[in-house]
């Protein structure tokens, strides 16, 4: 200020000077005087600092819940769980998966040491219980999930059967006394399994039909082996789906459609919607009679085989006979491999043996109890490259009724998928947003325009992991794929990398020895969380997104909190009483 008490520099000049500073210096100069403090809190200044520091396109609007640019800058800077506060080392082998209870009071961890451990989520996390699954011939535990009221824990693992054959098994553990309530076979083991409601869970089974053709059956199981009512089954068949070209159903999860109209965060601002129109992940509506033909990506050349007419007068048997007659009489391409022949026969057989898909999938009543069953699948090769979606109707959500489900006519031997999303790459992870509106998918892309001629030889996959986001209400990709994390294993050895989604953030593991955190609204990477080996799984606390857990092949579980949470905890810790300390020292002297 000058001698008269007025400012030496007008606010506009100070503003231009402050634009050359970073956010730390701006906060520092704001302590000089009231004028500088007012300019240092200017909204236009912090808007410039925000876009510059976080390198966000200016076409991206501010978070809808933000009240100011200063507060939004502080949110991204101060509330990310990036400070390691604890390392849990009770596992003695690779830690594969983490899951929180809905209350956030407990979490479970699965490991190659074949145990599932239950932890108490307090200020200092402690081990509450450990269950060893080796006595049940398990090789390791790989996945867990609490039911909706946190009274039961589903644990999925790899089961070693006769002649050292490996399959999967699901165990249900009571959280009241940690007793084992039931065990359910699960094949293949990477179906994982999931809860449909408080007392019923979904498992899978696989039946081989040919060398590269199979049938996946999804079962609804009661969590309790002892059923009081004779009208309630222990198990009931939900869906029976044909698999082509060595593909199988894996990684099942359930989305609750009733929560769509009250999302935690809407992601469809205009720039991302425009980008989604040119997405490389096409979505196929399977409301037609030829769902398998429609679900195939266009990069695969159509074989020169005469197609059957779509009228109802041609049966599968007539089609097969006509197909073989065409081969004998030379009307089709003579050079056809055994694999191509098996796939074509399977397609012809299933055409008139499949129940039509549910129509109007997008017009689901938000107030209904309808749910979606979501899983990975494929149609070109054994590596999972498509996401299948099947509607579960209210009457299907109970084990009451016939053991094998509703009675089926001969022309409804298989169930068709209601929707398919093609990823054009190897899917290595999926996760739902807390409101179940958005599906996040980790994938490693195939080369552009690649052609798969042998289903047992999938294309090479990229080291970069793409994180796609799909709106389950519109079935469209709503944001550009997120990138930062990497993976290195080849396509035939590729394994699952679990991700998790909170209200504002999404996190994922990676093979580059780091976990990653992105902001869901701005699509930017905010933090890298270091481990000494592959990070297999991440988990946000459902009640406190400033708490994150990461699990790694280095056998540790790391606990991460935000800088703000760390400061609050440190302030709450009791300080040593200096007078008492001095008195004790005097007594010793």
């Amino acid at each position: 200020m000058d001698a008269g008490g007025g400012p030496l520099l007008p606010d506009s000049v100070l503003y231009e000077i402050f634009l050359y500073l970073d956010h730390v210096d701006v906060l520092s100069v704001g302590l000089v005087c009231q004028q500088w403090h007012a300019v240092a809190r200017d909204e236009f200044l912090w808007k410039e600092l925000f876009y510059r520091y976080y390198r966000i396109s200016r076409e991206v609007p501010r978070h809808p819940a933000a009240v100011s640019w200063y507060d939004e800058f502080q949110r991204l800077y101060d509330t990310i769980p990036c400070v390691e506060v604890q390392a849990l080392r009770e596992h003695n082998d690779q830690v594969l998966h983490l899951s929180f209870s809905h209350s956030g009071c407990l979490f479970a961890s699965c490991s190659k040491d074949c145990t599932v451990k239950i932890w108490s989520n307090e200020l200092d996390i402690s081990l509450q219980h450990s269950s060893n699954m080796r006595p049940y011939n398990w090789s390791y535990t790989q996945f867990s999930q609490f039911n909706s009221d946190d009274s039961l824990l589903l644990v999925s693992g790899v089961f070693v059967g006769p002649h050292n054959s490996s399959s999967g098994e699901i165990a249900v553990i009571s959280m009241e006394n940690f007793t084992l309530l039931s065990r359910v076979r699960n094949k293949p083991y990477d179906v994982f399994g999931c809860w449909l409601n408080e007392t019923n869970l979904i498992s899978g089974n696989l039946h081989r039909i040919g060398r590269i053709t199979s049938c996946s059956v999804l079962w609804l199981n009661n969590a309790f082996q002892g059923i009081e009512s004779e009208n309630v089954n222990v198990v009931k068949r939900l869906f029976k789906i044909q698999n082509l070209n060595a593909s199988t159903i894996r990684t099942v999860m359930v989305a609750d459609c009733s929560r769509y109209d009250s999302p935690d965060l809407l992601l469809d601002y205009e720039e991302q919607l425009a980008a989604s129109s040119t997405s490389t992940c096409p979505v196929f509506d399977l409301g037609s009679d030829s769902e398998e033909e429609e679900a195939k990506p266009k990069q695969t050349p159509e074989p020169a085989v005469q197609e059957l007419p779509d009228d109802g007068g041609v049966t599968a048997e007539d089609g097969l006979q006509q197909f073989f007659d065409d081969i004998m009489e030379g009307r089709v391409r003579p050079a056809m491999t055994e694999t191509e022949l098996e796939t074509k026969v399977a397609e012809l057989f299933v055409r008139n043996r499949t129940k039509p898909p549910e129509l109007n999938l997008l017009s689901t009543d938000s107030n209904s109890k309808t749910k979606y069953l979501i899983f990975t699948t494929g149609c070109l090769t054994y590596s999972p490259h498509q996401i299948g979606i099947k509607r579960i109707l209210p009457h299907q959500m109970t084990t009451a009724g016939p053991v094998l489900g509703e009675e089926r006519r001969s022309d409804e031997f298989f169930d068709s998928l209601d929707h398919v999303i093609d990823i054009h790459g190897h899917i290595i992870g999926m996760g739902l947003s807390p409101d179940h509106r958005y599906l996040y998918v980790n994938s490693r892309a195939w080369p552009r325009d690649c052609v798969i001629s042998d289903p047992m030889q999938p294309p090479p996959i990229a080291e970069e992991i793409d994180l796609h986001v799909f709106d389950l209400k519109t079935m469209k990709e709503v944001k550009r794929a997120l990138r930062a994390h990497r993976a290195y294993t080849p396509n035939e050895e590729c394994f699952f990398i679990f991700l998790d989604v909170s209200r504002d953030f999404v996190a994922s593991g990676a093979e580059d020895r780091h976990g990653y955190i992105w902001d869901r609204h701005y699509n930017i990477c905010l933090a890298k969380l270091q481990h000494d080996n592959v990070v297999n799984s991440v988990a946000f606390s459902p009640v406190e997104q400033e708490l994150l857990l990461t699990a790694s092949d280095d056998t540790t579980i790391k606990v991460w909190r935000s800088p703000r949470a760390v400061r609050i905890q440190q302030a709450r810790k009791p300080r040593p009483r200096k007078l008492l300390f001095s008195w004790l020292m005097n007594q010793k002297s």
Side-chain angles (χ1 to χ4, degrees), residues 9 11-23 25-33 35-42 45-46 48-49 52:
L9 294 174
D11 290 353
S12 59
V13 175
L14 284 176
Y15 174 83
E16 293 297 331
I17 294 174
F18 289 179
L19 283 175
Y20 288 93
L21 306 179
D22 62 20
H23 63 283
D25 292 333
V26 169
L27 291 174
S28 298
V29 299
L31 302 175
V32 171
C33 64
Q35 182 202 11
W36 286 31
H37 177 78
V39 176
R41 290 298 181 92
D42 183 85
L45 174 63
W46 281 99
E48 293 296 320
L49 292 173
R52 186 173 69 197

Side-chain angles (χ1 to χ4, degrees), residues 260 263 266 268 433 435-439 470-474:
Y260 286 173
L266 285 174
D268 55 350
S433 60
D435 53 24
H436 288 203
R437 173 70 179 266
Y438 298 98
L439 177 67
F470 296 95
D471 187 340
L472 292 179
K473 188 172 183 178
T474 63

Side-chain angles (χ1 to χ4, degrees), residues 386-428:
Q386 291 180 324
I387 298 168
I389 299 176
K390 185 68 181 172
R391 178 185 292 180
I392 307 175
L393 299 176
H395 74 273
Q396 296 173 309
M397 299 183 194
T398 172
T399 52
V403 174
L404 295 181
E406 61 187 44
E407 296 298 327
R408 294 169 180 261
R409 304 193 306 267
S410 61
D411 60 344
E412 295 182 350
F413 186 77
F414 294 109
D415 293 289
S416 59
L417 304 185
D418 296 328
H419 228 77
V420 168
I421 301 174
D422 196 291
I423 300 297
H424 193 72
H426 192 128
I427 299 172
I428 61 170

Side-chain angles (χ1 to χ4, degrees), residues 74-86 123 503 505 517 526-527 529 540-541 544-549 558-571:
Q74 187 178 37
R75 179 183 74 85
L76 294 188
Y77 194 83
D78 210 28
T79 65
I80 310 302
C82 58
V83 180
E84 180 183 344
V85 296
Q86 194 174 357
L123 188 59
R503 185 189 68 240
F505 308 129
I517 303 175
L526 296 171
L529 313 175
F540 285 102
S541 167
E544 182 188 1
Q545 66 174 357
E546 295 180 41
L547 169 62
L548 178 72
L549 307 175
K558 289 190 176 183
V559 184
W560 308 83
R561 294 187 183 273
S562 69
R564 185 181 71 132
V566 171
R567 289 197 307 273
I568 293 174
Q569 287 185 2
Q570 290 175 344

Side-chain angles (χ1 to χ4, degrees), residues 141-172:
T141 60
Q142 62 175 354
F143 175 83
S144 65
Q145 185 182 50
F146 289 85
N147 69 342
S148 57
D149 63 2
D150 295 335
S151 61
L152 303 173
L153 178 67
L154 177 155
V155 182
S156 174
V158 177
F159 174 85
V160 180
H163 310 293
N164 292 324
S165 62
S166 90
S167 183
E169 192 167 86
I170 296 172
V172 177

